[in-house]
Amino acid sequence: MKKILLSLILSILVSNLFAGPKAPILDPIEFDLVQDQGEYNTFTVDPRIEVIAMICRLAEMPAFNYNYEGDNTFLSQMDSIFSKYKDHKAVKSVKALNKKGIEGDAFISLAYHIKPDFSGTVIDFSPFPETLFYSWKNIPVNTIYKLVKEIHQFALDTNFPRIYLLNRATYIANTGNMKKSAEKCGIAKWAKEFFMMDSFERPVLNVSQINVGCNYYDFVIGQDGKRLAYLTTFPGTYFDSFETMYICMYAQIFATENWPKIKENYSKYMRAWSLKVSPDNKKEIESREFIDYDFVQVIVNYLYLAYLKDVEPENHMSWEELYGYFEKQFADENIIKVWDLVLEYQANRDKYPTFLDFSEPVVNFINQLSFEE
């Protein structure tokens, strides 16, 4: 009997020794959420983004330290309210992580992997979630969980729910204006009909009042396997930047699924092309590791052309002008032929009902690229 008990105790000790870090379980924080439903999107001001953006702003991270070109009353007031929290543990941790290469897009990604009520993470971080920004792979899971706890504490210490409530009128105006603008330009309707993907049903557009410098798109896959899509923008965004990021959300799914098939030849080709256009950066280019987002950036240029050609939105450069710009920017004839693929896809929707169905022609085209001086 003693041997059985000893064996059981040893078994428990060994299993605990090799078990991954435990995800934090925290008290929920309630917010009176500002949210507006559009035909294709949900428009909101997400407290997770506002809290993390303010922490990053206090940490003086460049991506969060901009001001609007016009009226900065809101940000000035927020800076005044939060100035006494510059030495908060969460701010110090963000500063330390930033020095280790964790930048703005990674913090936005982390925000969406935290539960909406800040009570923990949407999914365990061990194993590493496929939708969490890749640079977090270099950070121990315990360190990330510690930051999640500190973010939760920052929201409590600053009474962020009350500040969010006091700004409700501003948030309602921002989400309403974004909804009106997004639906007027038709990007959501066009993207849904062009890509025909079921990877995510209804993207959430988060209008951040504090993250004033960038547009980011992010995905989260939770314990239920459901994929959520987010686009973080700000009230003063330039709409061409917003539109290309919106297309990126769909193109990223396509690129991620096909990246292993084209990574080797695409990287080889783009490295050679980059050396041609920027020979002074030879060492940096030769050592660079290409990622699927590099592939996204190339194809989205031409998908944006398709959007402009199909929708003809107001106050935009015409698709002919943009096509001419791309011809000059991508001087190599092989790259500009991506546009021919877009035309082929649009002309053969019976054969290719969705953009994912069109993978084979794109993969074949990329794998046949060769660069010669």
Side-chain angles (χ1 to χ4, degrees):
M1 185 67 180
K2 286 182 178 179
K3 288 183 178 180
I4 294 174
L5 286 173
L6 181 60
S7 176
L8 181 61
I9 292 169
L10 286 172
S11 175
I12 293 171
L13 288 172
V14 169
S15 64
N16 287 336
L17 182 64
F18 291 99
K22 300 284 186 182
I25 300 174
L26 306 166
D27 292 334
I29 302 175
E30 292 186 11
F31 284 85
D32 187 7
L33 189 66
V34 171
Q35 192 165 282
D36 193 358
Q37 300 296 335
E39 186 176 357
Y40 297 95
N41 301 116
T42 298
F43 299 85
T44 190
V45 177
D46 195 314
R48 295 172 295 180
I49 295 296
E50 298 305 273
V51 169
I52 284 189
M54 179 48 69
I55 294 171
C56 291
R57 187 172 175 85
L58 290 171
E60 299 180 345
M61 285 185 58
F64 300 91
N65 214 31
Y66 300 127
N67 288 320
Y68 293 108
E69 291 182 2
D71 184 10
N72 285 300
T73 303
F74 178 92
L75 282 172
S76 296
Q77 290 175 347
M78 294 292 275
D79 287 341
S80 176
I81 292 169
F82 286 95
S83 60
K84 62 183 178 182
Y85 297 102
K86 284 188 175 182
D87 292 324
H88 194 278
K89 288 182 179 179
V91 176
K92 291 179 178 179
S93 292
V94 164
K95 283 183 176 180
L97 287 164
N98 188 218
K99 290 179 180 178
K100 295 180 179 179
I102 306 299
E103 298 182 346
D105 36 15
F107 284 108
I108 295 293
S109 177
L110 178 64
Y112 289 123
H113 283 78
I114 294 173
K115 290 181 179 179
D117 63 2
F118 291 78
S119 62
T121 55
V122 174
I123 193 169
D124 293 339
F125 287 5
S126 183
F128 189 84
E130 64 173 274
T131 48
L132 185 61
F133 197 81
Y134 67 91
S135 62
W136 287 109
K137 288 183 178 180
N138 300 321
I139 306 299
V141 175
N142 274 333
T143 301
I144 305 177
Y145 283 164
K146 174 176 171 287
L147 177 62
V148 170
K149 294 176 185 177
E150 291 170 350
I151 292 168
H152 177 273
Q153 192 60 48
F154 180 89
L156 292 176
D157 291 344
T158 59
N159 199 5
F160 215 100
R162 174 171 170 74
I163 294 170
Y164 184 94
L165 181 63
L166 290 173
N167 289 318
R168 187 172 183 82
T170 300
Y171 295 157
I172 290 173
N174 288 345
T175 53
N177 289 336
M178 178 57 68
K179 176 183 174 181
K180 181 179 178 180
S181 299
E183 293 186 348
K184 181 181 179 182
C185 77
I187 184 65
K189 180 177 186 292
W190 179 86
K192 190 171 182 64
E193 293 175 353
F194 181 91
F195 290 98
M196 292 291 291
M197 288 183 186
D198 295 325
S199 300
F200 47 86
E201 183 61 30
R202 188 183 182 84
V204 175
L205 301 191
N206 174 45
V207 190
S208 174
Q209 190 75 22
I210 301 173
N211 168 46
V212 298
C214 302
N215 292 306
Y216 297 102
Y217 67 88
D218 293 279
F219 302 104
V220 177
I221 295 179
Q223 300 285 7
D224 58 1
K226 181 180 178 182
R227 183 187 292 269
L228 303 175
Y230 298 94
L231 195 158
T232 303
T233 185
F234 56 99
T237 188
Y238 292 107
F239 243 73
D240 55 352
S241 174
F242 165 80
E243 289 161 349
T244 54
M245 274 292 158
Y246 198 99
I247 297 171
C248 274
M249 285 196 298
Y250 287 87
Q252 183 68 61
I253 305 295
F254 179 89
T256 299
E257 292 200 10
N258 290 285
W259 181 241
K261 305 172 190 174
I262 59 112
K263 177 180 178 180
E264 183 177 352
N265 195 62
Y266 179 87
S267 299
K268 178 181 177 182
Y269 180 85
M270 291 304 294
R271 188 171 284 113
W273 180 78
S274 299
L275 283 168
K276 177 183 177 182
V277 298
S278 185
D280 294 340
N281 297 323
K282 182 176 181 179
K283 186 175 181 181
E284 179 183 340
I285 291 169
E286 287 180 337
S287 63
R288 186 184 166 197
E289 287 295 322
F290 285 83
I291 57 175
D292 57 4
Y293 183 62
D294 296 298
F295 182 39
V296 172
Q297 289 180 305
V298 169
I299 62 175
V300 162
N301 285 330
Y302 299 99
L303 299 181
Y304 188 54
L305 275 176
Y307 160 70
L308 292 181
K309 193 170 190 293
D310 291 347
V311 178
E312 297 183 355
E314 298 176 8
N315 303 319
H316 283 67
M317 179 188 294
S318 70
W319 80 270
E320 292 96 339
E321 290 174 305
L322 189 59
Y323 183 80
Y325 171 77
F326 286 155
E327 280 187 310
K328 294 177 181 178
Q329 184 183 24
F330 300 121
D332 192 270
E333 62 177 12
N334 286 328
I335 297 179
I336 199 66
K337 287 180 181 177
V338 174
W339 174 243
D340 296 335
L341 291 179
V342 175
L343 296 178
E344 181 184 344
Y345 168 70
Q346 289 185 305
N348 293 279
R349 294 304 292 271
D350 291 340
K351 185 178 179 181
Y352 308 112
T354 77
F355 196 59
L356 282 174
D357 294 324
F358 193 59
S359 297
E360 186 175 349
V362 177
V363 168
N364 289 341
F365 173 80
I366 296 297
N367 284 334
Q368 289 171 11
L369 289 176
S370 61
F371 188 92
E372 296 180 3
E373 291 288 350

